[in-house]
Amino acid sequence: MINVVVCHTPLHCLIAWLTFRTCRDTLLIWISDSDIDSAFLKAISSSMGAKLLVLGGSLQSRGFLGRLATRVRNLKVLRQTIRQQSVSHLLVFNDVAPEDQFVIARVHKKNAEIWLGEDGVAIYKTGGWFHYTFLEKVVAKLVYGFWWKPLPRIGSNQLISQLFATAPEIVREDVECHAAVSRLPPISPQQGDELFNLLKIDKAL
């Protein structure tokens, strides 16, 4: 059994490291939606003892069609990868993204526990909304599959069972109604030193 983490930003990688740093059987999936130093990404995965899978993202694609083509390629790789794995826990940060939705749907069938990590203010009342045109909804359903949903906000996926937040007391009510909410664990001095050394590697931060 392995743990799977899907990350889109360096912050996601750091939270993933804090969550699974003592586990040796982890698959870290990086979606290239933000700048990150490749040496930092490799150092994070190495420190976790995790296998690293790097996929394309918004940095390599522009416009609706460009993003669509990139995500189709990503889903093909993820379909082959997840099919071969027995998954115990999945940690995502953006359950709206098609790649995350796909992995959630697949590992749910394997009875994995599905966790959502904090992604800035997205899980709070001040978090933003996602808007879709009718054409975008139709095209996405046809291209991705019927498992895809036009979720309005991060944290909307009903398959999420656990949420980790900095401020659990102000998490949105619509998230609390389907997921248990826990506070992110504190960072020990030793972990702080290790994190600082990892952060020094990333020149993109």
Side-chain angles (χ1 to χ4, degrees), residues 39-56:
F40 169 73
L41 188 57
K42 291 176 182 177
I44 281 278
S45 58
S46 176
S47 180
M48 293 169 59
K51 295 180 180 178
L52 177 62
L53 174 62
V54 178
L55 300 175

Side-chain angles (χ1 to χ4, degrees), residues 98-128:
E99 293 91 348
D100 299 61
Q101 285 198 44
F102 175 79
V103 178
I104 288 172
R106 284 303 175 100
V107 303
H108 175 68
K109 295 179 180 179
K110 299 172 181 283
N111 298 316
E113 289 191 40
I114 300 169
W115 298 344
L116 179 69
E118 180 174 315
D119 181 30
V121 300
I123 56 174
Y124 304 108
K125 291 182 179 179
T126 54

